[in-house]
């Protein structure tokens, strides 16, 4: 009887078989037999020490590429995750985040060694390398622990930019229905909030540059993220920050694109953020949201006929200043003073009473006490620009040239920092504003050289204010160019200049529609009516006179409906003068020298941050 154990018998049989295959088929036969043996015992062999990682590396799938236009969250295999149950639960739970693409990484990252801190650092380093390969934003990795028959995932969050999440690692006990706990979702949204901040910073958006094309995908991603989640899944402070990023992006988008809908959405976003930033527990965050809300209100309000949003903006800024005191946050206080000045200026332009304009000047001068050129040169230049515009508006209403000279000095100061290479859009804004002041001063002093300087300034502004990118800014400068051409045409008795002005106004009206910007539309209608009237002085034309009268009437109706008494006064004066001329002079005779009430309310576009 053979007492040898079965393994030895199998070993002897294997030796006999391999010897026979070697003699009969050579090395090929042995290789075939070896392959068959490995296949037969694969489950046991693949688990041997040192073999398992090698097998995983050989058989692992390539990393999937990130999905454009979404936040990409990758999930690696979790150590100790039987049949990938927890990994599958996380992946299926993330499906409801419509703006999030979930990627499966066929990789295992282990951080449980003798030196846990070093292993954790090494784990994050490997995770970031995988993220760089895929271009994903976040990688979830870790270990699944077992406690009393329950799973306890120990999850690490690694971001592509290396930022540290609020909680470096989370332990998540699944609920009775095997769903992930609330704390998991709050950690997730905290990480996503960090990604929103990073995306906003890295989206290529810079003050003073055209940003619509880079803002559009950012806005879509953030809207999708907020729309596909509910408030319970967020830490309230994080959600408020994300809403603030969205609101400021929408404000810039609406300002540059000339569309009003993004500005309405910006207002809604900032108001929602305020609900999560109560004044009593987070006074500075509340004040910041009030300031951002005011910027959106004023940006939209300057386009509307009603002064309601501008008045609301004034109230919001003043509330913000109750917490944003100069002693506490000097530069933030100065920023809100600057924004308050803008709101007061836009209101003051419409009113006969100049008190709002004086208040705006005071607000700008206050801001400049902290916004020094040495400390914050671009912010200093912005406020100098805004002060210059307001001094010009006051100078139009006062005799002499003192205010106008001060305005030119302020704007030239601003251009020392608002250079074309550094902030091209701000440079163009200040060029446009400088052209307006030079024109007014050139008219008052009968100095054609100043009018030519004004013409050059407007033409320079148009080099950056392209119609296809900044339609309302382009139209504003076309309007102001028309005003300068009128002034030159009158001083030079040059009909061609007047015809060029008519062309500029008609161009501006293609973007300055009554639906989008009723007051600016009415201002350009008034200016076009002036140009048509002046042309009839040289060559009487009944049709041209009738068109001029009609355009005055259209403008006057808008100004009266809006309660803009300042605009209404000079429009009514010119309309009545027009009607007298039509009644007194037959169309076959030349009209006398026409004295028009000068237009004093050129529309100005400016950043209010």
């Amino acid at each position: 009887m053979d007492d040898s154990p079965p393994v030895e018998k199998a070993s002897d049989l294997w030796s006999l078989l391999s010897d026979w295959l070697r003699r009969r088929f050579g090395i090929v036969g042995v290789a075939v037999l070896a392959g068959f043996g490995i296949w037969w015992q694969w489950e046991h062999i693949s688990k041997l020490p040192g073999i398992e990682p090698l097998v995983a590396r050989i058989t692992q799938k390539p990393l999937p590429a990130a999905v454009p236009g979404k936040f990409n969250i990758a999930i690696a295999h979790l150590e100790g995750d039987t049949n990938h149950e927890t990994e599958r639960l996380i992946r299926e739970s993330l499906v409801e985040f419509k703006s999030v693409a979930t990627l499966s990484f066929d990789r295992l990252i282990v951080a449980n060694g003798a030196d846990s801190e070093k292993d954790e650092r090494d784990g994050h380093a490997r995770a970031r390398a995988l993220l760089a390969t895929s271009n994903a934003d976040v990688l979830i990795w870790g270990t699944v622990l077992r406690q009393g028959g329950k799973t306890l995932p120990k999850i690490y969050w690694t971001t592509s930019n290396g930022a540290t999440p609020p909680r470096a690692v989370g332990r998540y006990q699944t609920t009775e229905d095997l769903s992930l706990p609330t704390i998991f979702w709050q950690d997730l949204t905290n990480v996503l909030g960090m990604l929103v901040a990073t995306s906003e910073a890295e989206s290529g958006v810079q003050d003073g540059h055209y940003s619509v094309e880079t803002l559009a995908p950012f806005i879509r991603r953030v809207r999708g993220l907020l729309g596909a989640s509910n408030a319970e899944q967020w830490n309230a402070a994080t959600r408020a920050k994300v809403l603030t990023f969205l609101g400021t992006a929408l404000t810039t988008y609406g300002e540059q694109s000339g569309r009003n809908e993004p500005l309405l959405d910006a207002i809604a976003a900032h108001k929602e953020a305020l609900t999560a930033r109560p004044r009593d527990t987070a006074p500075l965050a509340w004040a910041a949201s009030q300031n951002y809300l005011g910027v959106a209100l004023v940006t939209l309000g300057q386009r509307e006929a009603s002064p309601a949003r501008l008045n609301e903006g004034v109230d919001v800024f003043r509330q913000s200043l109750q917490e944003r005191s100069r002693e506490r946050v000097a530069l933030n206080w100065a920023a809100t003073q600057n924004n308050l000045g803008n709101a007061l200026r836009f209101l003051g332009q419409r009113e006969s009473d100049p008190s709002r304009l004086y208040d705006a000047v005071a607000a700008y001068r206050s801001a400049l006490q902290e916004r020094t050129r040495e400390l914050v040169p671009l912010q200093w230049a912005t406020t100098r620009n805004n002060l210059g515009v307001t001094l010009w508006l006051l100078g139009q209403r006062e005799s002499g040239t003192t205010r106008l000279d001060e305005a030119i000095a302020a704007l030239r100061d601003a251009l020392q920092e608002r250079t074309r290479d550094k902030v091209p859009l701000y440079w163009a804004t200040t060029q446009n504003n400088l052209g307006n002041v030079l024109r007014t001063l050139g008219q008052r002093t009968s100095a054609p050289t100043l009018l030519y300087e004004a013409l050059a300034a407007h033409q320079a502004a148009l080099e950056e204010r392209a119609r296809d990118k900044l339609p309302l800014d382009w139209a504003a400068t076309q309007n102001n160019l028309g005003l300068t051409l009128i002034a030159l045409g009158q001083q030079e008795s040059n009909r061609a200049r007047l015809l060029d002005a008519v062309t500029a106004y008609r161009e501006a009206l293609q973007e300055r529609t009554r639906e989008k910007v009723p007051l600016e539309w009415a201002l350009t209608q008034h200016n076009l009516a002036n140009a048509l009237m002046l042309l009839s002085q040289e060559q009487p034309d009944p049709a041209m006179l009738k068109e001029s009268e009609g355009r005055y009437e259209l403008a006057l109706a808008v100004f009266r409906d809006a309660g803009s008494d300042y605009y209404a006064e000079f429009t009514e004066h010119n309309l009545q003068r027009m009607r007298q001329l039509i009644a007194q002079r037959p169309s076959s005779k030349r009209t006398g020298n026409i004295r028009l009430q000068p237009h004093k309310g050129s529309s100005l576009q400016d950043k209010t941050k």
Side-chain angles (χ1 to χ4, degrees):
M1 183 174 181
D2 189 353
D3 293 330
S4 61
V7 173
E8 291 181 8
K9 287 183 178 181
S11 176
D12 291 343
L13 180 60
W14 183 266
S15 296
L16 290 171
L17 182 59
S18 61
D19 288 343
W20 179 80
L21 285 170
R22 189 185 306 110
R23 289 194 303 272
R24 184 67 183 270
F25 299 105
I27 192 66
V28 175
V30 176
V32 170
L33 180 62
F36 176 79
I38 292 172
W39 171 79
W40 185 262
Q41 294 294 324
W42 177 250
E43 184 175 353
H44 172 70
I45 293 171
S46 64
K47 303 297 183 184
L48 293 175
I51 298 296
E52 185 174 10
L54 178 62
V55 171
R57 184 177 295 274
I58 294 172
T59 60
Q60 66 191 9
K61 300 175 183 177
L63 295 179
V67 179
K70 293 194 174 186
F71 292 104
N72 286 263
I73 299 180
I75 308 169
H77 298 317
L78 305 176
E79 186 183 19
D81 186 17
T82 305
N83 298 322
H84 305 303
E85 291 175 356
T86 303
E87 178 188 341
R88 188 179 304 110
L89 172 63
I90 295 173
R91 185 169 55 250
E92 291 175 353
S93 298
L94 288 173
V95 169
E96 65 185 83
F97 279 78
K98 302 302 181 185
S99 67
V100 167
T102 306
L103 309 177
S104 294
F105 277 13
D106 186 19
R107 302 290 188 277
L108 180 67
I109 301 176
V110 180
N112 291 323
D115 187 344
S116 59
E117 290 187 7
K118 180 180 182 301
D119 290 334
E120 187 174 321
R121 288 196 302 271
D122 292 345
H124 282 300
R126 187 183 172 201
R128 280 191 291 274
L130 295 174
L131 288 170
T133 301
S134 172
N135 286 324
D137 299 298
V138 180
L139 179 57
I140 296 174
W141 57 281
T143 303
V144 176
L145 308 174
R146 304 283 173 179
Q147 286 185 349
K150 294 183 178 181
T151 60
L152 184 65
K154 181 182 179 183
I155 298 298
Y156 293 88
W157 306 83
T158 302
T159 60
S160 57
N161 65 350
T164 303
R167 297 197 328 149
V169 62
R171 294 174 184 260
Y172 307 111
Q173 175 66 61
T174 55
T175 61
E176 292 183 0
D177 61 354
L178 299 181
S179 62
L180 293 165
T182 301
I183 189 64
F184 171 86
W185 297 108
Q186 291 187 349
D187 282 354
L188 171 64
T189 51
N190 279 339
V191 172
L192 292 173
M194 292 171 54
L195 289 175
V196 169
T198 302
S199 298
E200 197 267 349
E202 296 178 351
S203 62
V205 177
Q206 301 178 55
D207 273 352
H209 290 73
Y210 178 69
S211 308
V212 167
E213 292 173 356
T214 50
L215 280 172
F218 172 77
I219 290 170
R220 284 196 298 270
R221 291 177 82 191
V222 178
R223 272 180 164 164
L225 176 62
L226 290 168
S229 58
N230 55 64
E232 291 74 25
Q233 293 172 320
W234 290 81
N235 171 284
T238 302
R239 186 177 177 87
K241 288 179 182 177
V242 172
L243 284 163
T244 299
F245 284 127
L246 177 61
T248 54
L250 286 164
T251 299
T252 301
Y253 187 94
E255 182 181 36
Q256 293 188 0
S257 68
R259 295 174 53 200
N260 292 344
E261 297 85 354
L263 297 173
L264 290 167
D265 292 342
I267 291 167
H270 289 309
K271 286 185 175 180
E272 185 179 348
L274 275 168
T275 63
R277 290 179 160 181
R279 182 177 180 179
D280 56 344
T281 58
L284 289 181
W286 171 86
S289 284
Q290 290 282 13
N291 178 73
Y292 292 129
L293 172 61
V295 171
L297 286 166
V298 170
T299 304
L300 181 58
Q302 64 180 298
R303 298 179 182 177
E304 296 178 329
S306 168
R309 291 196 204 273
L310 293 176
N311 283 315
E312 186 180 354
V314 169
D315 292 340
V316 164
F317 289 134
R318 284 179 171 155
Q319 289 181 54
S320 179
L321 287 168
Q322 293 175 24
E323 297 293 343
R324 276 189 157 187
S325 64
R326 185 178 181 183
E327 296 73 24
R328 255 172 121 180
V329 281
L331 286 179
N332 290 339
W333 168 83
T336 304
Q337 287 285 358
N338 175 78
N339 297 340
L340 173 62
N342 289 333
L344 292 167
R345 167 162 57 93
F346 291 130
L347 282 168
Q349 282 181 269
R350 306 172 177 216
E351 301 168 353
S352 296
D353 182 354
S355 59
R356 300 264 203 181
L357 296 176
Y358 290 124
D359 289 344
V361 168
Y364 293 136
R365 294 198 190 282
S366 292
L368 287 168
Q369 295 175 41
E370 295 294 340
R371 282 187 156 186
T372 64
R373 185 177 183 183
E374 296 73 23
L375 188 62
V376 281
L378 278 179
Q379 294 174 359
W380 168 82
T382 292
T383 304
R384 289 292 289 167
N385 171 82
N386 297 340
L387 175 62
V389 172
T390 312
L391 291 169
W392 167 64
L393 293 171
L394 284 169
Q396 289 179 306
R397 304 183 184 203
E398 299 172 358
S399 60
T401 62
T402 301
R403 294 279 192 188
L404 300 177
D405 290 334
E406 290 177 359
I408 289 174
L411 293 169
R412 293 200 190 280
D413 278 351
L415 284 171
Q416 293 179 45
E417 295 294 341
R418 285 187 152 191
T419 60
R420 187 174 184 180
D421 60 330
K422 192 159 53 176
V423 280
L425 298 192
Y426 291 173
W427 170 83
T429 293
T430 304
Q431 289 286 356
N432 175 69
N433 296 341
L434 180 60
N436 287 332
V437 188
L438 290 168
R439 177 186 65 248
T440 303
L441 188 59
Q443 288 175 301
R444 188 161 295 179
T445 60
S446 300
T449 55
L450 292 177
L451 296 181
Y452 279 105
E453 283 187 55
L455 190 65
H458 292 313
Q459 290 169 337
L462 287 170
E463 293 174 13
E464 292 293 341
R465 290 184 155 189
R467 180 180 179 182
D468 59 336
K469 292 183 176 180
L470 304 162
L472 290 183
D473 288 354
W474 170 84
T477 306
Q478 286 287 350
N479 174 80
N480 296 335
L481 177 64
L483 290 169
T484 303
L485 289 167
I486 288 286
L488 274 169
Q490 287 183 290
Q491 284 198 11
E492 299 173 343
S493 298
N494 187 336
R495 182 179 175 83
R497 295 285 193 191
L498 303 181
L499 290 170
D500 288 343
V502 168
T503 300
Y505 294 138
R506 293 195 194 280
E507 286 280 295
L509 287 170
Q510 294 181 44
E511 296 294 343
R512 279 187 157 185
T513 64
R514 186 170 187 174
E515 295 72 27
K516 276 197 300 190
V517 283
L519 280 184
E520 294 178 358
W521 173 85
L523 286 168
T524 303
Q525 291 286 2
H526 167 274
N527 296 341
L528 178 54
N530 279 355
L532 294 170
M533 169 65 90
L534 291 169
L535 280 167
S536 293
Q537 179 181 357
E538 295 296 324
Q539 183 177 324
D541 184 334
M544 195 175 285
L545 289 172
K546 195 65 179 175
E547 181 185 355
S548 177
E549 180 183 26
R551 292 186 183 275
Y552 279 134
E553 290 171 342
L554 289 171
L556 183 58
V558 169
F559 295 145
R560 283 175 173 168
D561 288 345
S564 299
D565 57 341
Y566 181 66
Y567 293 151
E569 285 173 9
F570 63 71
T571 303
E572 186 165 14
H573 170 89
N574 291 339
L575 175 59
Q576 294 305 319
R577 181 61 177 153
M578 156 74 77
R579 287 173 174 166
Q580 290 173 11
L581 292 170
I582 292 175
Q584 294 172 4
R585 291 175 172 80
S587 60
S588 59
K589 297 182 180 178
R590 288 169 55 91
T591 61
N593 186 30
I594 301 172
R595 295 181 58 83
L596 297 174
Q597 182 74 16
H599 165 48
K600 302 177 181 178
S602 303
S603 174
L604 300 168
Q605 305 295 321
D606 186 43
K607 296 287 282 188
T608 54
K609 292 183 180 177

